[in-house]
Amino acid sequence: MSHESPSEPHPKNLNPDAAKVVPRQQDEDDPLDKVFEGIPLDEEKKETVIQRLELLQGQFSSPVPPPFIMREHGEVLSSAPERIFAMAERQAAHRQSLEQRVTKGADIRAYIGQGCALTVALVFGYFSYDLIRGGAEVAGAVLGTVDLVGLVSVFLVGRRRQSVEAQRRPLPPSQVEQEEQE
């Protein structure tokens, strides 16, 4: 349920009585001129009507519409507000269950990856030890060094990727509001 308006991207109060009159740029071929043709309105009243129309066209990013729209839905169908709230609750529960599954899957993949990395490191470490014990000290040392460098680089690349993803991820709305207040 998202409605967009170029003049008001995120109005906090969608009350049509609280509309602000902000002058807008007029085009020569403005379709609104045809709408108001023959209606006796001065420019200020015309702009007020246009602003209210744009405000009603505005945007809300909640699964539940603003109260004045809920009242209108309730006038059409008395159970509509309860049904809309129930729908929003079901959608939120569904989204939360999906997020839990994604998080659990990511954790499982991480543990499996760590287990595989440990197995590979132990196998290469054993071969390095076996080469050194068998008299091929240089080959064993090279294999052991490659093993350690590989483990450290994989660890560092993973950490860097996590920090890049954390920076790319948008902040939750509650954190955005807190940062704006500071």
Side-chain angles (χ1 to χ4, degrees), residues 2-21:
S2 181
H3 307 282
E4 294 186 31
S5 167
S7 64
E8 297 255 347
H10 297 287
K12 294 201 181 220
N13 184 359
L14 287 177
N15 183 350
D17 297 327
K20 296 178 188 173
V21 177

Side-chain angles (χ1 to χ4, degrees), residues 2 5 16 39 49 70 72 74 77 91 105-106 112 117 126 135 162 179:
S2 181
S5 167
I39 299 174
V49 170
M70 289 290 276
E72 291 176 10
L77 179 65
Q91 178 63 30
I112 289 172
Y126 174 77
Q162 284 177 347
E179 287 185 3

Side-chain angles (χ1 to χ4, degrees), residues 4-8 15-16 18-27 29-37 39 41-58:
E4 294 186 31
S5 167
S7 64
E8 297 255 347
N15 183 350
K20 296 178 188 173
V21 177
V22 178
R24 62 186 186 88
Q25 295 178 345
Q26 299 235 347
D27 294 336
D29 298 327
D30 192 359
L32 286 175
D33 288 337
K34 293 178 183 174
V35 171
F36 289 110
E37 209 171 87
I39 299 174
L41 287 176
D42 62 15
E43 278 302 309
E44 186 176 326
K45 287 184 180 179
K46 181 179 173 182
E47 288 300 319
T48 303
V49 170
I50 291 170
Q51 288 294 323
R52 286 184 179 206
L53 287 172
E54 288 177 347
L55 182 67
L56 288 173
Q57 177 194 354

